[in-house]
Amino acid sequence: MKERVLVNLWKYRWELFGALRDSVMVYAFATTIIGYHLWGQTIGTLVILNAITFALVTGNIMMFNDSIDRFHDRKKGKVFASEHTNEIRLAWWLMSAFICVLLTMLSKLHPTVAAFTAGVWWLGLAYSFVPHWYVAQNALVATCSASPVLCGSVVYGHWNSTISNTALVLFGMIILREITKDIEDA
């Protein structure tokens, strides 16, 4: 059984990759770098490691949510997670282990930004268990989605108006998008 699941990880690699929402991962990577850039930070080990970790955390949250919502998503025609539950779970666990390694490396460079990234990861995973209070869930998604731009501020230990305004604009755009998606789903 385990061997079949491992073989299926390779067999369904593209479907599993799709569950990560690559465009959302690119967004998280880019906004993390932008957050550091707004502080004047040059791209170095800390910035790249944080951006990669945040991108993977974002994809991991998406995959976890697919696993939890698999029966609801089936109604919308998205059947991969419900038909390949073991593969999704194993891929999620393997990815989570890799993220823990990256967070450990990140904590050697800057423990506070590693804790911040881990906190957003936890908050994003918690989304799957929040009762369906749509505005609360939308705010949670928007908070997690706007947070990569704050990583530079976490490193520098304070905020400035450019960072705050950028985070608020991202939060506003994402919450509006989430509300619009919920209205379409309803």
Side-chain angles (χ1 to χ4, degrees), residues 117-136:
T117 305
V120 172
W121 186 20
W122 176 85
L123 191 62
L125 294 175
Y127 163 85
S128 295
F129 302 105
V130 171
H132 288 285
W133 302 327
Y134 291 105
V135 176

Side-chain angles (χ1 to χ4, degrees), residues 10 56 68 83 180:
W10 179 253
L56 291 174
I68 298 297
E83 292 177 355
T180 303

